[in-house]
Amino acid sequence: MTQSEYTIQELSELTGLPRRTIHFYVQQEIIPPPEGAGLGAYYTDDHLLRLKLVPLLRQQGLRLDDIREKFRGTADAKLGELYEQSNHKIPAPPPAQPARQNYVHYQLTAGILLMAPAGLSPLDRQRL
């Protein structure tokens, strides 16, 4: 099977990782260094696969040193199987809860209740 070749920019776009993070993963031996050197350096499908697996394994609670060891002890074909089994899903973070806000209630005529944020400025409160 022929491996695709990627520049670091292409790898960054495909994984959503900043170039700086990819360089860090190379430095930490999470992924192997690129093939070639300088401007001719390129990354392969194996690099891409490992970079896609890192966030999935982090979601499972593995630390980077655990991931490094897992990658060292696992053949590329097995890593591909692991990626396929994960369904490629990275759980989305829970939606942010809106900040609770206190309100001041004003009883108006005809049973109308006006609620205004408690943090209004004195000028806004006067206008209200």
Side-chain angles (χ1 to χ4, degrees):
M1 182 172 106
T2 312
Q3 291 266 345
S4 297
E5 296 179 1
Y6 307 98
T7 65
I8 188 150
Q9 184 61 38
E10 291 169 330
L11 203 60
S12 176
E13 291 169 4
L14 289 168
T15 61
L17 295 171
R19 294 166 59 143
R20 182 176 175 178
T21 300
I22 296 170
H23 287 299
F24 175 75
Y25 287 165
V26 170
Q27 178 188 16
Q28 296 298 311
E29 300 178 357
I30 305 296
I31 64 170
E35 304 292 327
L39 294 176
Y42 65 91
Y43 297 84
T44 66
D45 291 327
D46 293 332
H47 292 97
L48 180 61
L49 173 64
R50 290 168 190 261
L51 288 172
K52 287 182 174 182
L53 273 170
V54 169
L56 298 172
L57 296 171
R58 297 279 292 158
Q59 288 290 329
Q60 295 175 7
L62 272 66
R63 298 183 334 205
L64 288 179
D65 56 338
D66 298 327
I67 294 170
R68 178 188 320 112
E69 292 307 312
K70 184 173 196 69
F71 285 174
R72 280 186 183 158
T74 308
D76 290 338
K78 291 287 184 190
L79 291 176
E81 289 174 20
L82 179 63
Y83 183 67
E84 290 302 320
Q85 291 170 357
S86 71
N87 293 324
H88 317 230
K89 294 180 183 170
I90 301 173
Q97 296 294 322
R100 292 186 55 99
Q101 189 170 9
N102 293 325
Y103 290 91
V104 176
H105 298 184
Y106 297 97
Q107 186 68 43
L108 305 178
T109 60
I112 298 173
L113 178 65
L114 174 66
M115 294 175 28
L120 288 177
S121 69
L123 179 59
D124 287 337
R125 196 171 287 149
Q126 186 180 17
R127 289 179 184 160
L128 182 67

